[in-house]
Amino acid sequence: MKKIVLIFVAIFITILMLIVIFGDSKVASSKIKSTTVNTNTCTNTDTVINDYIDNFCDETKCSSVSVVVMHDGKITIYGDEDALYQIGSMTKAFTGLAVLKLINEKVLSEDDIISDHIKDFTAYYEKEARDITIGQLLTHTSGYTNKETDYPSALEGMSLGAWTDTISGSELSFAPGTGYSYSNVNYNLLGAVIEEATGLSYKEYMEKEILTPLGLADIYVGTPDDGDVVSGSRLMFRRSIPYDIPVIEGRIPAGYMYSSASDMARWMQIWTGADMTLSSQDDDANKENQKENLKDNKEENVDIPIEYKQLVCDIKAHISSAGDYYAGWEYVSDDILNEDTTDEKEAIGHSGGTPNYSSRIVFSQDKNTGVCVLTNLNVAASTDSLCNGIYAYIINGRDAEYEMEIKTSIATDVWTVFDIAFTGMFIMGIVTLVGILIVNRRCILLVSGALLALILIALCVVMPIIFGAGLYDILCIWAPYSMMGGMGILAMDIVAIGVRSFGLKAS
């Protein structure tokens, strides 16, 4: 009788979990309304894009999305235009622009080495001291990687200066200038260089010399003091739940600014408004001629100082072919955007991802088109596919083929896969826990316990290797809560098997 009761309990718990997890979990806020901003906007909203965004929300369980679409200079915003999102590594473009401004003013040079500005900073490759230049930081060719176990990020309460002390003296993964590896270390170091070169904090310099002159009042360096901040979220058992973590000062230059959709629209207009036909040569006489050309270039989309238009021009001139990365921007090829084009005028963009937000921006000045997606959930691959899909749909004339394709083209992010897998593990773990109480054969229990222990050990060993981070950071900061739940129930099963086996032996 006891066994029958336990079986019914297991069935009941399983059915209950399935209802809770796979029931109607559509997010209430997933129905996105489109809005328009400023006088140069598109009044005809696109139901295909609205449906695509709704599909994204349903697939990812994301609760808040804002999308900026620019085409022929006209802006349409889908979602809340004023809500503030963390923009992740899209922050790097602001840091890069600040560095280029200092280079233009002769305060910095691309050939400067880090120790020219950060006293006693060192780096080693094969145990030999190596110099890293500003240019190598801008292009991710410094020798640093994004492997947290090798180059830990700043801890809570740590300033940029304090963090540089911890990273100084590290062994590089390759000799500077001989390879490429995307790394947050590079742009956090650039943030520290900005502080040392200007005598201002990174926040002070960015607000005074970048955000204010460009009219970006709704972009914040670190946590906003005011404004409608969208709470971040995290996956758990096929749902997203609110999840906020503190912004650490020593990590901001590489990925922790906040922005509204309306200011990202202006940011896109700034980057598509500069005249790319201008030269990026450095001689003063040539630059004076370029400034005169810029004065003659009547640009109605944005009104920014000529100096900044020149900086934008200089940066884009460095990004012209596959593999190019410079100052927080990368070349985006046709195969990524799924474009059906015959010309060579391709796009520039960047993605962003933090533990509780993801974002992407892609634009082309030649096509006068751009898309930016801001979300409050870390599903970077899915966010990238949403942004790229809308861009391709616009570029290819909103034809029926692309309308059908983008409706089914949301890529599945790795954290979504993990959420599904560990949700299944959690359900099976509950069933196994009840089964342990029913089974009376000690040998079966011991074999099962050994198998489960091997799985748990493998997860604990393999995950840090795959993600290049400590198990604590993966479980407690980045991965869906369901991963913690699945591994937790697995550990409980192993303990329960041990206790049950000991009891059977004793009896």
Side-chain angles (χ1 to χ4, degrees), residues 372-388:
C372 178
V373 176
L374 305 174
T375 80
N376 72 330
L377 181 66
N378 181 19
V379 282
S382 302
T383 300
D384 286 359
S385 72
L386 174 64
C387 183
N388 294 346

Side-chain angles (χ1 to χ4, degrees), residues 297-359:
N297 179 31
K298 306 295 185 183
E299 192 56 67
E300 296 180 359
N301 285 340
V302 287
D303 181 20
I304 62 172
I306 292 173
E307 174 193 2
Y308 294 87
K309 289 188 178 184
Q310 180 61 56
L311 293 174
V312 167
C313 170
D314 289 345
I315 290 172
K316 289 191 291 188
H318 284 80
I319 310 166
S320 58
S321 59
D324 286 350
Y325 188 107
Y326 188 74
W329 295 106
E330 60 187 347
Y331 179 89
V332 183
S333 60
D334 277 347
D335 59 336
I336 293 175
L337 296 173
N338 201 24
E339 290 185 47
D340 184 18
T341 57
T342 56
D343 58 36
E344 297 180 354
K345 299 174 181 178
E346 300 183 33
I348 294 172
H350 209 286
S351 298
T354 64
N356 48 352
Y357 296 86
S358 55
S359 56

Side-chain angles (χ1 to χ4, degrees), residues 6 429-440 445 448 452 492-501 504:
L6 289 172
I430 292 175
V431 175
T432 302
L433 197 59
V434 176
I436 291 167
L437 302 176
I438 298 173
V439 174
N440 289 320
L445 290 172
S448 300
L452 293 178
M492 287 178 62
D493 287 344
I494 295 168
V495 173
I497 286 173
V499 172
R500 177 73 169 149
S501 298
L504 288 174

Side-chain angles (χ1 to χ4, degrees), residues 26-33 53-54 57 62-65 376:
K26 291 184 179 181
V27 231
S29 60
S30 67
K31 299 302 175 185
I32 304 298
K33 295 181 179 179
I53 297 169
D54 288 341
C57 292
C62 185
S63 62
S64 186
V65 182
N376 72 330

Side-chain angles (χ1 to χ4, degrees), residues 151-451:
Y151 313 109
S153 298
L155 300 175
E156 189 169 353
M158 191 177 283
S159 66
L160 274 171
W163 169 77
T164 57
D165 290 340
T166 68
I167 213 75
S168 178
S170 298
E171 179 75 11
L172 300 172
S173 296
F174 55 88
T178 64
Y180 171 91
S181 182
Y182 183 89
S183 176
N184 290 328
V185 175
N186 295 320
Y187 279 72
N188 286 327
L189 282 173
L190 287 173
V193 168
I194 290 171
E195 290 192 338
E196 293 296 329
T198 65
L200 299 173
S201 71
Y202 174 80
K203 176 181 170 69
E204 290 170 338
Y205 184 82
M206 296 302 291
E207 290 175 347
K208 179 182 177 183
E209 300 294 339
I210 301 297
L211 301 180
T212 299
L214 294 179
L216 299 169
D218 279 340
I219 295 182
Y220 295 83
V221 181
T223 307
D225 298 323
D226 51 23
D228 179 20
V229 179
V230 177
S231 177
S233 61
R234 188 175 178 182
L235 288 172
M236 184 177 77
F237 301 129
R238 302 311 299 129
R239 277 171 163 72
S240 63
I241 63 171
Y243 174 54
D244 290 309
I245 56 175
V247 173
I248 297 170
E249 181 185 341
R251 302 184 185 187
I252 293 175
Y256 285 89
M257 281 186 175
Y258 284 76
S259 178
S260 65
S262 59
D263 262 18
M264 290 314 298
R266 178 171 175 81
W267 182 236
M268 261 199 300
Q269 287 178 314
I270 288 169
W271 283 91
T272 54
D275 185 357
M276 268 297 286
T277 63
L278 299 178
S279 169
S280 61
Q281 295 177 30
D282 290 332
D283 62 276
D284 293 335
N286 186 63
K287 285 194 172 180
E288 285 304 315
N289 291 332
Q290 291 178 49
K291 287 181 180 181
E292 290 303 316
N293 289 337
L294 281 168
K295 287 178 182 178
D296 295 334
N297 179 31
K298 306 295 185 183
E299 192 56 67
E300 296 180 359
N301 285 340
V302 287
D303 181 20
I304 62 172
I306 292 173
E307 174 193 2
Y308 294 87
K309 289 188 178 184
Q310 180 61 56
L311 293 174
V312 167
C313 170
D314 289 345
I315 290 172
K316 289 191 291 188
H318 284 80
I319 310 166
S320 58
S321 59
D324 286 350
Y325 188 107
Y326 188 74
W329 295 106
E330 60 187 347
Y331 179 89
V332 183
S333 60
D334 277 347
D335 59 336
I336 293 175
L337 296 173
N338 201 24
E339 290 185 47
D340 184 18
T341 57
T342 56
D343 58 36
E344 297 180 354
K345 299 174 181 178
E346 300 183 33
I348 294 172
H350 209 286
S351 298
T354 64
N356 48 352
Y357 296 86
S358 55
S359 56
R360 180 163 175 81
I361 184 171
V362 173
F363 64 86
S364 169
Q365 175 179 323
D366 298 303
K367 297 165 185 173
N368 204 11
T369 298
V371 178
C372 178
V373 176
L374 305 174
T375 80
N376 72 330
L377 181 66
N378 181 19
V379 282
S382 302
T383 300
D384 286 359
S385 72
L386 174 64
C387 183
N388 294 346
I390 294 173
Y391 182 88
Y393 171 66
I394 298 296
I395 287 297
N396 289 282
R398 292 180 165 91
D399 64 24
E401 176 188 347
Y402 278 88
E403 177 179 338
M404 182 63 67
E405 185 168 337
I406 70 168
K407 285 183 177 179
T408 57
S409 64
I410 298 294
T412 303
D413 187 74
V414 63
W415 295 132
T416 300
V417 174
F418 273 42
D419 189 44
I420 294 170
F422 284 97
T423 293
M425 178 182 287
F426 186 82
I427 294 172
M428 291 302 298
I430 292 175
V431 175
T432 302
L433 197 59
V434 176
I436 291 167
L437 302 176
I438 298 173
V439 174
N440 289 320
R441 297 187 63 179
R442 188 166 176 265
C443 62
I444 294 177
L445 290 172
L446 290 174
V447 171
S448 300
L451 181 61

